[in-house]
């Protein structure tokens, strides 16, 4: 539906949809519905297009953002070929009697196990926002084929008794999960890490109040080889060195450190960490031991090393002595607050830019 102009009258859009459905015959359908501003804000008009599409539910293959509002008696739909569904977050249940081929599901406010129609044991991708911690635990335990999981955990204070019921749970080894992203703003998330092991994990993203100690235990228990790590947490400087020196981080190709700011507080990069990540030239070989030997991309936000120039030298060594380093991005947010970066560091960065190295520096960039 994104192919239609926003000002197109609904009757013209309906005509085109009918023509496309007719000409597509029995081919599988990939449907991406526009947002509520497309075509019209009228629920009745949006529902008129949805009704036409529902007549072909038997050949839906991928559906995104279809509007269910305004449709009466929508239940027991059979979608035998539906593989990917991005569901309306306002829906409290799916209107399907069966969707046996489903593998990719995005649904906000997911409450497990209230939806027995979903083939949990065959899902490979699952994204859900504002679910409870017990639901997130059960979802991972009930989806053994997941390759990608992304959760935004709702605060459990209103459901404290539910959380207590799930505190004593045996360790689960999830053997297929490769990409895991979790956002949580309460400290109870630390217990979540104690319940799982992810030996196949390659991409990890932690945001909010994740505790570094619990995450370190998770990595050591899993024995995984991370390729991408993104940390956007409060109190990130606590045990950050230990976190990045785990064996799982030795295989990183992409590292993103984005500490969540409180007033003018910045992430103080440990001197030993900077030195350990610096490549020192050798008269014989450049293959001297250093952190992140496979690193290609480094993104840092409002971070500083107390020894001005040390940080810049580390970045310079990665560009000039590493065979794989390609991009450094520094997000300063120094306006209107006091500058975070060191003067000598910035001189080195700007000099590397002039030499043609791929360095991006964002000063006070709100949208970075």
């Amino acid at each position: 539906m994104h192919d239609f102009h926003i000002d197109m009258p609904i009757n013209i859009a309906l005509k085109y949809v009918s023509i496309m459905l007719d000409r597509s015959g029995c081919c599988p359908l990939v449907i991406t519905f526009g947002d509520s501003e497309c075509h019209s804000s009228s629920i009745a008009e949006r529902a008129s297009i949805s009704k036409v599409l529902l007549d072909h539910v038997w050949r839906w293959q991928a559906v995104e953002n279809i509007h269910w509002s305004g449709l009466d008696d929508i239940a027991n739909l059979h979608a035998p070929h539906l593989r990917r569904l991005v569901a309306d977050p306002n829906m409290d249940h799916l209107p399907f009697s069966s969707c046996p081929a489903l593998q990719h599901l995005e649904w906000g406010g997911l409450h497990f196990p209230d939806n027995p129609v979903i083939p949990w044991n065959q899902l490979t991708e699952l994204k859900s926002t504002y679910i409870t911690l017990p639901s997130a635990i059960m979802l991972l335990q009930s989806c053994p084929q997941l390759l990608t999981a992304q959760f935004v955990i709702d605060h459990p204070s209103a459901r404290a008794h539910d959380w207590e019921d799930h505190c004593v749970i045996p360790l689960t080894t999830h053997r297929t999960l490769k990409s895991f992203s979790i956002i949580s703003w309460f400290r109870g998330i630390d217990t979540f890490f104690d319940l799982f092991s992810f030996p196949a994990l390659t991409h990890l993203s932690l945001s909010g109040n994740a505790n570094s100690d619990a995450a370190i235990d998770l990595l050591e228990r899993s024995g995984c080889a991370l390729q991408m790590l993104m940390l956007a947490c409060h109190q990130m400087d606590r045990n950050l060195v230990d976190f990045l020196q785990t064996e799982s981080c030795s295989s990183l190709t992409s590292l993103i450190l984005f500490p969540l700011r409180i007033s003018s507080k910045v992430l103080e990069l440990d001197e030993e960490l900077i030195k350990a990540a610096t490549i020192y030239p050798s008269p014989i070989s450049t293959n001297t031991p250093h952190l992140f030997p496979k690193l290609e991309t480094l993104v840092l936000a409002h971070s500083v090393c107390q020894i001005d120039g040390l940080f810049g030298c580390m970045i310079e060594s990665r560009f000039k002595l590493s065979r794989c380093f390609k991009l450094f991005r520094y997000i300063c947010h120094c306006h209107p607050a006091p500058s975070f970066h060191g003067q000598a560091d910035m001189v080195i960065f700007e000099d590397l830019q002039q030499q043609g190295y791929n360095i991006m520096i964002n000063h006070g960039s709100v949208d970075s």
Side-chain angles (χ1 to χ4, degrees):
M1 303 304 159
H2 289 296
D3 295 333
F4 300 154
H5 193 274
I6 190 172
D7 296 324
M8 180 180 291
I10 196 68
N11 61 319
I12 302 299
L14 271 171
K15 178 181 177 181
Y16 285 144
V17 169
S18 299
I19 291 174
M20 288 189 290
L21 290 172
D22 182 61
R23 290 181 177 178
S24 61
C26 297
C27 296
L29 296 178
V30 176
I31 304 169
T32 302
F33 215 108
D35 58 30
S36 60
E37 298 301 322
C38 290
H39 312 296
S40 173
S41 59
S42 167
I43 293 178
E45 289 183 339
R46 295 199 305 270
S48 63
I49 293 183
S50 297
K51 288 180 181 178
V52 175
L53 297 173
L54 282 171
D55 291 337
H56 298 262
V57 67
W58 56 274
R59 57 190 182 109
W60 287 3
Q61 179 172 289
V63 176
E64 183 173 345
N65 297 333
I66 192 167
H67 298 288
W68 304 98
S69 301
L71 297 175
D72 299 325
D73 301 325
I74 299 301
N76 299 321
L77 298 176
H78 181 50
H81 303 295
L82 184 62
R83 297 172 61 87
R84 182 178 188 272
L85 175 65
V86 179
D88 186 340
N90 297 317
M91 298 175 61
D92 58 1
H93 70 281
L94 296 182
F96 303 109
S97 60
S98 66
C99 46
L102 191 65
Q103 292 185 333
H104 176 116
L105 176 62
E106 296 184 35
W107 191 5
L110 196 61
H111 293 289
F112 181 88
D114 299 335
N115 300 277
V117 170
I118 300 174
W120 301 106
N121 63 348
Q122 71 180 31
L123 293 184
T124 58
E125 294 186 64
L126 178 62
K127 299 180 181 181
S128 185
T129 56
Y130 304 111
I131 60 174
T132 64
L133 194 55
S135 292
I137 293 170
M138 286 189 290
L139 284 169
L140 281 182
Q141 292 176 330
S142 302
C143 300
Q145 303 303 319
L146 278 184
L147 300 176
T148 300
Q150 179 177 309
F151 297 143
V152 178
I153 306 296
D154 190 13
H155 196 292
S157 59
R159 311 175 185 86
H161 61 284
D162 292 337
W163 168 233
E164 292 170 359
D165 290 342
H166 294 84
C167 282
V168 182
I169 300 176
L171 177 70
T172 298
T173 299
H174 199 297
R175 302 191 180 280
T176 63
L177 192 67
K178 294 181 178 297
S179 177
F180 184 48
S181 173
I182 188 165
I183 301 175
S184 174
W185 302 104
F186 64 95
R187 301 189 184 281
I189 193 64
D190 299 343
T191 307
F192 174 89
F193 295 133
D194 296 335
L195 302 177
F196 291 96
S197 173
F198 305 123
L201 195 67
T202 59
H203 292 65
L204 177 62
S205 176
L206 303 178
S207 302
N209 283 326
N211 183 284
S212 58
D213 287 335
I216 290 173
D217 291 341
L218 171 67
L219 293 180
E220 292 179 344
R221 185 187 319 117
S222 300
C224 55
L226 291 181
Q227 296 176 17
M228 190 285 291
L229 173 64
M230 195 278 281
L231 299 176
C233 307
H234 291 300
Q235 299 179 340
M236 189 185 294
D237 51 346
R238 184 171 179 265
N239 294 337
L240 178 62
V241 175
D242 294 336
F243 193 114
L244 296 179
Q245 287 182 331
T246 60
E247 183 64 27
S248 293
C249 290
S250 64
S251 52
L252 284 175
T253 60
S254 178
L255 175 61
I256 303 170
L257 300 179
F258 206 111
L260 302 179
R261 287 183 58 197
I262 301 177
S263 65
S264 60
K265 182 176 175 57
V266 298
L267 172 63
E268 294 188 5
L269 298 172
D270 187 271
E271 177 184 345
E272 295 304 316
L273 174 65
I274 297 297
K275 290 181 178 179
T278 302
I279 305 176
Y280 296 96
S282 167
I284 302 176
S285 171
T286 59
N287 295 324
T288 54
H290 56 273
L291 286 180
F292 325 125
K294 300 180 181 180
L295 196 66
E296 299 177 4
T297 300
L298 176 62
V299 179
L300 290 177
H302 34 268
S303 308
V304 64
C305 180
Q306 292 298 323
I307 302 179
D308 191 12
L310 191 65
F311 181 29
C313 289
M314 185 271 282
I315 297 300
E316 183 177 33
S317 76
R318 306 299 302 208
F319 276 115
K320 294 187 175 182
L321 299 177
S322 170
R323 297 180 179 179
C324 52
F325 197 65
K326 301 176 182 177
L327 169 66
F328 171 59
R329 183 178 181 187
Y330 186 64
I331 304 170
C332 178
H333 289 263
C334 58
H335 301 299
S339 175
F340 296 151
H341 53 67
Q343 184 176 359
D345 290 326
M346 195 55 57
V347 170
I348 295 174
F349 296 157
E350 293 173 351
D351 183 57
L352 289 171
Q353 281 182 318
Q354 293 175 0
Q355 295 179 48
Y357 291 103
N358 194 5
I359 292 183
M360 301 172 62
I361 301 176
N362 300 94
H363 293 290
S365 179
V366 176
D367 59 348
S368 296

